[in-house]
Amino acid sequence: MIEIRSVHKKFGDVEILKGIDLDVNKGELLCLLGASGSGKSTLLQCINGLEPIQGGSILVDGIDVHARDTNVNRLRQKLGIVFQQYNAFPHLTALENVALALRLVAKHNRTDASVIAKKHLAHVGLGDKENLFPSRLSGGQQQRLAIARALAMEPTYMLFDEVTSALDPELVGEVLDTMRLLKSEGMTMVVVTHDISFARQSGDRVAFLHSGRVCEIGTVAEVLENPRDERTQRFLQREYRA
């Protein structure tokens, strides 16, 4: 599991995370909701070790992400992360994009890396796109390529940071379907999202963040259908009106 205890994060003098306490249980899909600037994306980057913290601790399967002696590169193989932007290498085909980290980080030879990459591209529905460059793929396909690239490292956990917010509405469904597939296969996921319907239909628990704190956490029914915190209530009212 992922255990987050009293985590504080600052950018300069601005405190973004103000004592976050959170657990992510094996096999669950935890949705992080909150307005822009509430600290959701920063929290994901702290979990993955991409951002240092100024207080508290984050344990992944008992390993302290931010301990001085932790091999963060090795730990990140447990933590696949997919961002809002696809970040594909434009000069590499879909297959080459997925195989690259397998060769450079996991040290697979070129043949084995290609076999693994093909498997994961097929897994996300891109088996017939492996020889195309990213510019020939739709936004939804590029985002599924990013998911395949993360999955190829065989992570224990997947972190998703607003992965559909840059997509045209008609392309959102194919990415969410891929995430639902991963959930059905037992992948543990932390998903930053503004998509309330996805959280309701696919989430196991929901955490609402406001100004760097977890204001409310519970099951989908508890947080989305019967929120106790006034800030959660106001946020959901605005989202439903939108």
Side-chain angles (χ1 to χ4, degrees):
M1 65 185 300
I2 299 174
E3 302 170 83
I4 301 168
R5 296 290 180 268
S6 191
V7 165
H8 291 259
K9 167 65 185 175
K10 290 183 178 181
F11 290 110
D13 294 329
V14 180
E15 191 171 26
I16 305 299
L17 303 179
K18 304 172 183 176
I20 296 286
D21 286 291
L22 200 62
D23 288 333
V24 183
N25 301 309
K26 203 71 173 286
E28 80 169 338
L29 194 162
L30 174 66
C31 290
L32 302 183
L33 301 181
S36 297
S38 59
K40 307 181 302 298
S41 297
T42 299
L43 178 58
L44 283 196
Q45 293 177 44
C46 291
I47 293 172
N48 192 258
L50 293 171
E51 286 289 346
I53 60 176
Q54 281 73 51
S57 64
I58 300 174
L59 303 182
V60 176
D61 292 339
I63 301 171
D64 189 338
V65 175
H66 296 276
R68 189 167 297 178
D69 59 348
T70 294
N71 185 328
V72 177
N73 289 329
R74 182 179 299 170
L75 183 63
R76 284 188 187 133
Q77 294 183 38
K78 286 178 171 279
L79 294 159
I81 188 166
V82 182
F83 297 98
Q84 177 179 336
Q85 301 300 324
Y86 325 123
N87 298 321
F89 292 104
H91 63 293
L92 300 179
T93 65
L95 181 66
E96 291 167 339
N97 263 280
V98 177
L100 185 63
L102 290 166
R103 293 194 293 108
L104 297 184
V105 178
K107 304 302 181 183
H108 289 287
N109 62 46
R110 189 175 295 272
T111 299
D112 289 345
S114 292
V115 170
I116 297 169
K118 286 174 183 283
K119 180 183 76 171
H120 287 285
L121 285 170
H123 192 195
V124 300
L126 295 177
D128 60 341
K129 309 293 184 185
E130 62 184 46
N131 293 318
L132 296 183
F133 290 96
S135 61
R136 298 287 305 279
L137 301 176
S138 70
Q141 289 169 340
Q142 289 189 61
Q143 196 58 285
R144 284 187 283 151
L145 169 60
I147 294 172
R149 185 173 54 194
L151 288 174
M153 301 302 290
E154 299 186 353
T156 307
Y157 306 94
M158 285 290 290
L159 313 176
F160 293 93
D161 187 10
E162 293 283 10
V163 294
T164 61
S165 61
L167 299 178
D168 293 332
E170 64 270 18
L171 301 177
V172 169
E174 63 189 64
V175 177
L176 295 183
D177 285 345
T178 299
M179 295 165 67
R180 292 186 184 102
L181 172 65
L182 297 179
K183 174 178 168 56
S184 72
E185 295 170 344
M187 176 63 74
T188 307
M189 295 187 280
V190 183
V191 180
V192 171
T193 184
H194 282 287
D195 192 326
I196 304 298
S197 63
F198 174 77
R200 179 184 290 107
Q201 294 167 12
S202 302
D204 294 301
R205 289 191 302 148
V206 174
F208 176 73
L209 274 65
H210 177 79
S211 296
R213 293 185 172 91
V214 177
C215 294
E216 190 161 1
I217 184 168
T219 66
V220 169
E222 289 168 342
V223 177
L224 297 185
E225 306 303 335
N226 190 30
R228 297 185 304 274
D229 192 282
E230 289 185 5
R231 291 162 293 190
T232 312
Q233 294 169 7
R234 290 196 298 269
F235 173 81
L236 292 173
Q237 288 169 359
R238 288 197 300 270
E239 290 298 309
Y240 286 136
R241 284 199 301 270

